[in-house]
Amino acid sequence: MRSELELTPIAKGDAADGPHYLALRDQIALGIEMGKLAPGSKLPSERQFQGDSGAARGTIREALFQLEAEGLIYRRDRSGWYVSPPAVTYNPTRWSGFMTYVAEQGRTPATETLSKELVSAPPAVADIFRTAPGTPLYNIHRRRSIDGRAVLVERIIVDPTLAPGLVDRSLDGSLTQILAGDYGLTVVRNRVDMRPCALVKFAADALGVKPGTPGLLVVRTSIGADGRVVEYDQEYWRHDAIRVHVDLDVRG
Amino acid sequence: MRSELELTPIAKGDAADGPHYLALRDQIALGIEMGKLAPGSKLPSERQFQGDSGAARGTIREALFQLEAEGLIYRRDRSGWYVSPPAVTYNPTRWSGFMTYVAEQGRTPATETLSKELVSAPPAVADIFRTAPGTPLYNIHRRRSIDGRAVLVERIIVDPTLAPGLVDRSLDGSLTQILAGDYGLTVVRNRVDMRPCALVKFAADALGVKPGTPGLLVVRTSIGADGRVVEYDQEYWRHDAIRVHVDLDVRG
């Protein structure tokens, strides 16, 4: 969360309502940065903070909400505040998939298939697959986690004529590997669109957060050598779990 | 907002509490897609929706919140709901700056300097500039708009030894051009980090949205030929104004 920590001292001067909650925010952030508060560990209760800092309840909550907004801490239903695990870095200019880049960062990725079914293509989806509305398409709904914490929910659409019987297999791994290995579908082009969003109900429910919580929608259209869409994927990430990094160098 | 519109028919099946608010959401989204509701235009009042659709007030609000979460509509203080202008596309693998890529997309960019001052570098910022904490650095705070709507607020840090007197100039344009043209500071490398966030108070206030509204934090570190940091920029975008696009092709 380094870049967030860098921000604060500069942003501080801007807080109209003075340093009270930001000073407490800085104390907690420093504790996290220094490792006094380990990733995944539980924060003291708001009452404890009150006792220790002598700050008003409202000030404490404002500090906690600020840290949540920055992705440094997160809430678990009824069990209080926890230090967010470090965000994983996603580089859209690399080819590696979730299972690979998460493992490369020393974390443990996991994939859980929530549903897989044949659906009839709505018009907008039919456009993407250059097919007629109502054409049957595989619709796969998965949840992915890092070190046991759900970080994204995704819906993947695949054309059954390219991958017949796909949904009869276990999809709790790398779909790209199955499509390449079992169906010879290799991707030559990835179009990646990312937009910040508020997590809509179906995504929030699957991630166990409140609808409206900030998130990142990553839409990937993978295209094969013949120009056909191999995989169309919509990932809804919780906002504190992903960091997108691109390194652009004029010297190549 | 196409990719959002694509999503809905698929997501629909997931809404635990049935199609009521999603059906209304689809009607409104279709009206926007078909151009019946033009970008920037005001939506009917919640009372009008109630009259037209016969839906309960709660259902109507849920539909509107869903559309807001998707970035299709947004609220203006006390004046109701409006259709969001199309998001601008930012491609982090290209070199062009805000003033250029916004204009290239047929939109009108504008930059407003909110403050420019000399500050003493906090430790984390000093690290970035490989200088000692407390070193004086220029801190520039700007707000940028597209077609008259504020879309991002940014804080830029520049080393005064590289650009003496920078803050005495008008910075209501392309800073990169000033640094290159007037100071001969050309950038050979851009490190771009993006993370979804909830807009913290100072950013939300500057953009006229509620703190906690989803946003995107784009942090850009621009490095010169000599390896020194030319410009360190933190942009807070409102979530419905930016779409990040990367096109990755194995055939180069």
Side-chain angles (χ1 to χ4, degrees), chain B residues 196-208:
Chain B
C197 64
L199 292 172
V200 294
K201 192 174 188 322
F202 93 92
D205 291 347
L207 294 174

Side-chain angles (χ1 to χ4, degrees), chain B residues 221-237:
Chain B
T221 311
S222 302
I223 298 155
D226 59 359
R228 291 182 69 180
V229 173
V230 169
E231 192 183 335
Y232 179 73
D233 181 19
Q234 297 171 315
E235 300 175 347
Y236 281 87
W237 284 77

Side-chain angles (χ1 to χ4, degrees), chain A residues 2 19 101 105 111 165 175 180 183 228 252:
Chain A
R2 193 150 299 287
Y101 67 73
Q105 292 172 52
T111 305
L175 183 62
Y183 296 97
R228 290 182 68 179

Side-chain angles (χ1 to χ4, degrees), chain B residues 59-80:
Chain B
T59 304
I60 289 159
R61 305 213 81 187
E62 221 177 330
L64 294 170
F65 291 153
Q66 163 91 17
L67 289 160
E68 181 186 35
E70 296 173 26
L72 285 172
I73 67 174
Y74 69 103
R75 267 175 286 200
R76 281 197 214 151
D77 286 350
R78 287 180 202 73
S79 86

Side-chain angles (χ1 to χ4, degrees), chain B:
Chain B
M1 314 310 269
R2 194 149 299 286
S3 81
E4 299 295 354
L5 292 169
E6 283 155 10
L7 176 72
T8 312
I10 305 161
K12 202 163 173 177
D14 291 76
D17 53 348
H20 287 26
Y21 80 92
L22 285 174
L24 178 57
R25 176 265 169 222
D26 290 351
Q27 284 175 35
I28 300 170
L30 192 67
I32 293 170
E33 190 182 19
M34 296 307 176
K36 278 177 224 146
L37 292 163
S41 66
K42 193 175 191 305
L43 260 64
S45 69
E46 293 178 18
R47 173 164 283 105
Q48 281 171 275
F49 275 123
Q50 238 175 327
D52 303 347
S53 67
R57 187 63 168 261
T59 304
I60 289 159
R61 305 213 81 187
E62 221 177 330
L64 294 170
F65 291 153
Q66 163 91 17
L67 289 160
E68 181 186 35
E70 296 173 26
L72 285 172
I73 67 174
Y74 69 103
R75 267 175 286 200
R76 281 197 214 151
D77 286 350
R78 287 180 202 73
S79 86
W81 294 93
Y82 291 80
V83 178
S84 301
V88 72
T89 298
Y90 168 59
N91 186 336
T93 68
R94 298 224 179 102
W95 288 97
S96 58
F98 178 87
M99 300 302 282
T100 305
Y101 67 76
V102 171
E104 280 172 354
Q105 292 172 52
R107 313 285 294 274
T108 306
T111 304
E112 169 193 8
T113 303
L114 301 177
S115 72
K116 40 186 186 176
E117 65 208 325
L118 208 56
V119 299
S120 63
V125 174
D127 284 353
I128 299 169
F129 283 83
R130 301 207 202 89
T131 179
T135 304
L137 295 173
Y138 286 142
N139 181 35
I140 301 152
H141 184 192
R142 305 194 299 184
R143 176 165 45 208
R144 301 188 120 172
S145 63
I146 298 176
D147 302 332
R149 179 178 177 243
V151 294
L152 75 89
V153 56
E154 67 179 343
R155 329 199 104 260
I156 304 165
I157 304 172
V158 175
D159 183 342
T161 65
L162 288 181
L166 176 66
V167 294
D168 303 328
R169 301 165 187 263
S170 163
L171 302 178
D172 295 349
S174 165
L175 183 61
T176 310
Q177 274 174 30
I178 294 173
L179 292 172
D182 300 359
Y183 296 98
L185 297 169
T186 52
V187 172
V188 300
R189 184 179 178 205
N190 262 336
R191 293 173 48 88
V192 184
D193 283 295
M194 294 172 276
R195 69 169 72 236
C197 64
L199 292 172
V200 294
K201 192 174 188 322
F202 93 92
D205 291 347
L207 294 174
V209 300
K210 290 200 189 73
T213 300
L216 186 70
L217 171 61
V218 179
V219 180
R220 191 181 304 93
T221 311
S222 302
I223 298 155
D226 59 359
R228 291 182 69 180
V229 173
V230 169
E231 192 183 335
Y232 179 73
D233 181 19
Q234 297 171 315
E235 300 175 347
Y236 281 87
W237 284 77
R238 54 183 303 157
H239 87 283
D240 59 0
I242 184 170
R243 170 178 161 273
V244 180
H245 178 76
V246 171
D247 202 329
L248 183 61
D249 197 321
V250 74
R251 297 157 300 192

